[in-house]
Amino acid sequence: VADSFGHGTTVVGVMAARTNNGATFDTLGVAGVCGGDGAGNAGCRILALKITAGSTGSTDSWTLARAILAAAAAGARAVNVSFAGGGTSRLERLAMQQALAQGCVSVCAAGNHGALNGDTPQYPAAYAAEGVCIQVGACDATGQRAAFSSYGPGLDVIAPGVGIWTTFMTYPSHAGASYPGYVASSGTSLAAPFGTGTVGLLAAARPELEDTDFQQLLRRTASDVGAPGFDPQTGAGLLDAGAALAAVDPGIGIWHGVAAATQFTPLDVDTLVSAEDHVVVPAQAFRATVTVALPDSFASTAWAWARVTGTGTLPEGFRLSCLSPHADVRLSGRALALSGCLYRATADGTWYPAPPESARIAFTVMGPVLRTNPIARHRPLVAAPNPFTGGTRLAVPAGAPVDVLDVAGRRRRTLVARADGSAAWDGRDQAGRMVPAGIYFVRVPGAPPLRLVRLE
C-alpha cells in the first residue's frame, strides 16, 4: 500500500492528517481539516483509490469515473479529485451525478493554467457549473487568487494553495523527490482538499445534508475577495470552514422536498443544441413552474436552492452545455417559486429531458427554526386506516412537509399537507412504485414520528 507517484500523499494530508500526534521526524507535523485529534476522535476516514497506471501521472475518463462510483458505493460522503484535463467527458459527469444520488459529492481542483489561459475550462471541475460537483481554485497567503489558478466556468470558491505544509512519503517519489515526511507544496491540487475536508466536517455535523447542499453552503458562507460579489476569478470568495459549520448549527432546520410542476407556459421555438449529448433538434420551450408554501416552522430568512438529484427540468435557453438537471428556486415571503424548462421536438413530439408529467423539481430549504413552533403544539399525527393496504389519510399540520421513511431511515416519499391539515399517501414511493409491505414512519418537523404499517 504505497504512493507510487507522489501526489496523493500530499493531497490527503491537507484534509485528513491527524492532529496532536506529537513531533514527527524534524517537524511538529500538520493538522488536516477533518483529521482526528490523535486520541478518541479518529476524524474522517480515508479511502484511497488509485486511478493512474503504475508510476505515471495520467489516467482516462473511464478509470476516473469508476473510482468516483467506487467511492460512492463504499459509502464515502465526499471524493477529492485533484486531477484536471482539457476535454469534456459525459462519462465523468454522469458518474459524479450518480455519486450525488448515492450521497457522495465530488470536490475538484480548478486546474493550474491561470497564467496562460485561466478561463479555459478544466474537467471534471467545470461541471460544477451544472451542480454535479464543487470546483475549488487556489489563493495565496494574502487571500487573493494565485496566478497559476484556473478559473473556468463553475468556480465555487478559492482556498489556500501556495506553500501548503502537508504530508509526504517517507521514501522518494517517482520523480526522485525526497523529504522527511512533510513538505511545502503548491497548486489547486492542494486547494481542493481544503474544500473536501470542509465537506467532511459538514457531513459529520449534519448527516442529512445531501446533493448540492454542500456546494451552496460553501458558496454562501465564503468570504468575498476580488471583485465585489460573485466573480469568475474567485467565485463566491475565500472558503470559510468555520462559517460553513456555523451555518448548520443545531438551531438550523433542513427540509428536503420534491414538487411536481403544475403549470407549463409556452416559450420560444428554436433549435435545441447540446453538443455533449448529441442533441440538435428544432423544439418548443416550455417553462414548468410550481409554488410551494414555506412551513410555519421556518423563519422567512431561510435559504433555498434546487438539488440536481430528483430534478427533471433543464435550464432555459436553447444552447445548453449538456442535458443536466437544473431548476431555479426563489423564496419570496413564505412561498417557494420553483421553475425549470422542458423542450418538445417540433418534428416528432419528443420531450427533453422528460414529458410534463415527469417534471419534478427537488429543493432544499435551510434556515432558523422558530422557537414558538406551531407544529410542535399541533395535535398528535394521526393516520386512518392504520394498518392499511391501498392507502391511508394523514392528519398533519397544514402546509407542513411530510416525509415517509422506511425502517432504515431512507426517505421514500415527500408530501405537502393541504390547507385543511390533511395528506394522503397511496403507498407509493417518489417514483410511483408501490412500496413493499412493512413498517414505515411519517416525519413532520417538530412532531414525534408516526408509525405506519402497510399490509399486502
Side-chain angles (χ1 to χ4, degrees), residues 217-246:
L217 280 167
L218 296 194
R219 285 183 174 186
R220 291 167 186 255
T221 58
S223 300
D224 192 19
V225 294
F230 195 94
D231 67 89
Q233 295 200 17
T234 63
L238 181 61
L239 174 72
D240 189 332
L245 283 171

Side-chain angles (χ1 to χ4, degrees), residues 78-91:
V79 56
N80 188 88
V81 185
S82 287
F83 214 91
T88 62
S89 170
R90 185 170 184 265
L91 187 64

Side-chain angles (χ1 to χ4, degrees), residues 67-267:
I68 292 171
L69 293 176
R77 296 304 312 275
V79 56
N80 188 88
V81 185
S82 287
F83 214 91
T88 62
S89 170
R90 185 170 184 265
L91 187 64
E92 292 172 13
R93 174 173 62 85
L94 292 178
M96 291 191 296
Q97 189 171 322
Q98 175 64 26
L100 270 186
Q102 294 179 247
C104 178
V105 59
S106 300
V107 184
C108 305
N112 301 325
H113 297 285
L116 297 175
N117 301 299
D119 58 352
T120 299
Q122 295 292 298
Y123 295 90
Y127 286 120
E130 314 299 332
V132 297
C133 67
I134 296 171
Q135 180 180 171
V136 183
C139 71
D140 59 22
T142 69
Q144 301 302 307
R145 182 183 69 85
F148 60 76
S149 182
S150 298
Y151 47 92
L155 179 63
D156 291 301
V157 293
I158 57 175
V162 178
I164 304 304
W165 191 244
T166 185
T167 49
F168 197 79
M169 298 97 70
T170 56
Y171 48 88
S173 72
H174 173 65
S178 182
Y179 301 95
Y182 296 91
V183 69
S185 188
S186 301
T188 58
S189 283
L190 283 302
F194 278 100
T196 311
T198 303
V199 170
L201 294 175
L202 290 170
R206 299 297 293 268
E208 66 268 43
L209 291 170
E210 62 182 41
D211 206 88
T212 52
D213 294 348
F214 297 100
Q215 182 186 43
Q216 291 290 338
L217 280 167
L218 296 194
R219 285 183 174 186
R220 291 167 186 255
T221 58
S223 300
D224 192 19
V225 294
F230 195 94
D231 67 89
Q233 295 200 17
T234 63
L238 181 61
L239 174 72
D240 189 332
L245 283 171
V248 296
D249 72 30
I252 299 298
I254 301 172
W255 172 33
H256 293 129
V258 180
T262 57
Q263 185 173 355
F264 302 91
T265 305
L267 302 175

Side-chain angles (χ1 to χ4, degrees), residues 8-17 30-35 160 164-167 189-195 197:
T9 304
T10 58
V11 169
V12 76
V14 175
M15 59 183 167
V30 54
V33 177
C34 63
I164 304 304
W165 191 244
T166 185
T167 49
S189 283
L190 283 302
F194 278 100

Side-chain angles (χ1 to χ4, degrees), residues 350-375:
T350 299
W351 286 92
Y352 297 89
E357 59 267 25
S358 299
R360 302 286 190 272
I361 297 176
F363 60 89
T364 295
V365 175
M366 182 181 299
V369 176
L370 299 175
R371 292 181 181 275
T372 55
N373 188 348
I375 293 179

Side-chain angles (χ1 to χ4, degrees), residues 16 40-41 62-63 76-77 86 102 113 120 138 152 258 261 301 311 324 333 392 446:
N41 179 2
W62 175 261
T63 304
R77 296 304 312 275
Q102 294 179 247
H113 297 285
T120 299
V258 180
T301 55
T311 293
S324 188
T392 184

